[in-house]
Amino acid sequence: MSQFIDLRSDTVTRPTPEMRRAMAEAEVGDDVYREDPTVNRLEQRAAEIIGKEAALFVPTGSMGNTIGIKVNTEHGQEVICDARAHILDWELSMTAWFSGCLVRTVETSDGILDWDRIQRKIRAFGPHNAPTSLIEVENSHNMAGGTIYTVQNLHEIYTRAHENGIKVHMDGARIFNAATAAGLPARDFAACADTVMFCLSKGLGAPAGSILAGPPDAIARARLYRKRLGGGMRQVGILAAAGLIALETMTLRLGEDHANARFLAESLGKLPGVTVSDAITNILMVDIAKTGLLAPEVSARLKAAGVLMNSNGPTVLRAVTHFDVSRADCERAVKVFGTVIR
Ligand code: TLP
């Protein structure tokens, strides 16, 4: 789709030439035997950078979340998350299917939970109640438009959760975007969760791969669950080599994507009938309700004019900036958008 300006997602990013070189030259071994030196190095660096004792390379963010939830729960328990969480809407009910847990949601305007709202959803101990064992937070929050937690808020959730015997899992698919926006190291966020998943693909550009990090005992169990799910890979240092570059260098340039998102938000927001969510990280929700048009129709017309943007509801489109989209591409996308809605 390279002839298009692709704002559908940061999952579309392609590996950089440096990644491709590193992949070609990667030292590899059988990772199920833990003999792949590149994977071992990636897991060690990932743990250091995110500030956890252990880390596991998994093929996808979805598998990382699935296992993260599994290691923190038992069948028949409840998991609290925001009502638009990725684990709820986009991961094929794996919390139910694999962990046997019920998801109990909290409605929020911005995807961001706080202790006050969480505690009202915790099931009191009693003969009719399934225990709440986990709180899941998404940082940044995808479907709320790239919103982020404050460390203070997360710290309160984490501390109060632990006082109540409840664990916290962070879906940090885009934790480095959140950290860039907050001007903090990602480990400050990760310190407020028992386990954290983050993606090396998406905005960091690796072709595949995510990390699940946490305490050594949880990660040792996670390794078995990864195998159960068919995620025990062999000479996968080929992918980990790209992951190392994602982690060490691509995290440093996310500010550019955020600046492009701010540009898009400002420019699209000036078009008649268009309202855009605040540009906090790299994800925008573009509401076209007042144009009288429908999002799927606008998405199709944009595509015909060379711009890809998915609809995310009847009158909302999602625009995601990433390193395969330049400022010039964003300028062009705004012009096309203006023409299309007129
Ligand atoms: N998000 C994708 C789609 O699945 C919606 C996207 O285009 O944004 N957590 C969060 C917060 C995510 O946004 C995603 C992917 C995942 C987990 C899952 O990662 P993968 O796709 O690697 O399984």
Side-chain angles (χ1 to χ4, degrees):
M1 294 298 228
S2 54
Q3 72 275 35
F4 289 95
I5 297 170
D6 196 343
L7 295 163
R8 285 173 302 169
S9 181
D10 46 10
T11 59
V12 303
T13 48
R14 286 155 300 175
T16 63
E18 189 194 357
M19 285 179 182
R20 287 177 184 269
R21 272 195 302 278
M23 292 169 79
E25 290 162 12
E27 241 190 298
V28 295
D30 190 326
D31 181 49
V32 173
Y33 292 110
R34 305 190 66 175
E35 287 170 5
D36 189 304
T38 313
V39 173
N40 292 342
R41 208 164 69 242
L42 172 65
E43 289 178 346
Q44 193 191 334
R45 278 301 286 145
E48 280 164 15
I49 288 171
I50 213 68
K52 295 287 180 206
E53 280 185 85
L56 181 72
F57 185 50
V58 288
T60 62
S62 300
M63 192 188 286
N65 279 337
T66 295
I67 299 173
I69 290 164
K70 180 71 190 160
V71 297
N72 287 308
T73 56
E74 287 171 18
H75 272 228
Q77 297 183 329
E78 293 198 4
V79 175
I80 293 176
C81 65
D82 162 71
R84 286 175 288 169
H86 195 277
I87 61 157
L88 178 64
D89 287 339
W90 301 86
E91 296 184 15
L92 295 102
S93 302
M94 283 303 268
T95 302
W97 195 80
F98 192 62
S99 294
C101 289
L102 190 74
V103 170
R104 192 166 289 278
T105 57
V106 178
E107 295 285 339
T108 64
S109 59
D110 57 1
I112 304 299
L113 302 177
D114 57 59
W115 181 254
D116 191 41
R117 274 179 287 189
I118 289 170
Q119 67 177 343
R120 287 185 238 145
K121 299 286 179 171
I122 294 174
R123 305 289 277 162
F125 182 77
H128 305 293
N129 295 346
T132 303
S133 61
L134 185 68
I135 295 161
E136 192 265 359
V137 292
E138 189 173 314
N139 191 30
S140 65
H141 195 293
N142 186 345
M143 291 301 155
T147 50
I148 65 173
Y149 278 82
T150 63
V151 170
Q152 291 83 339
N153 181 15
L154 274 178
H155 184 72
E156 185 183 14
I157 292 172
Y158 181 70
T159 316
R160 304 295 296 272
H162 276 232
E163 285 165 10
N164 287 273
I166 298 170
K167 298 268 179 62
V168 177
H169 171 73
M170 186 179 296
D171 175 350
R174 298 181 179 84
I175 196 171
F176 291 100
N177 292 90
T180 301
L184 295 169
R187 55 166 55 217
D188 288 10
F189 288 126
C192 305
D194 296 277
T195 50
V196 55
M197 183 286 289
F198 63 88
C199 295
L200 301 161
S201 53
K202 312 216 169 31
L204 302 185
S210 294
I211 295 287
L212 178 68
D217 62 323
I219 297 304
R221 284 186 291 128
R223 201 172 281 281
L224 298 184
Y225 288 124
R226 182 184 69 174
K227 190 72 173 66
R228 271 205 173 107
L229 288 168
M233 298 177 288
R234 304 294 179 174
Q235 288 70 31
V236 75
I238 299 252
L239 291 178
L244 274 162
I245 293 167
L247 199 55
E248 303 283 5
T249 67
M250 298 297 278
T251 49
L252 307 176
R253 57 152 305 286
L254 294 172
E256 267 177 59
D257 302 339
H258 297 183
N260 282 337
R262 284 197 295 277
F263 168 80
L264 273 183
E266 264 169 42
S267 314
L268 292 174
K270 284 182 192 147
L271 299 173
V274 180
T275 315
V276 188
S277 62
D278 291 341
I280 298 164
T281 53
N282 67 326
I283 302 177
L284 299 173
M285 293 297 164
V286 184
D287 190 328
I288 54 160
K290 292 193 193 122
T291 63
L293 298 166
L294 291 174
E297 182 189 346
V298 169
S299 176
R301 284 198 215 165
L302 285 170
K303 184 173 181 183
V307 175
L308 301 178
M309 232 185 250
N310 281 342
S311 60
N312 190 50
T315 60
V316 176
L317 297 118
R318 185 179 72 145
V320 186
T321 57
H322 52 79
F323 85 97
D324 276 346
V325 169
S326 65
R327 176 58 64 96
D329 290 335
C330 292
E331 285 167 5
R332 169 108 193 95
V334 171
K335 284 207 183 92
V336 169
F337 202 100
T339 312
V340 158
I341 59 162
R342 254 175 252 130

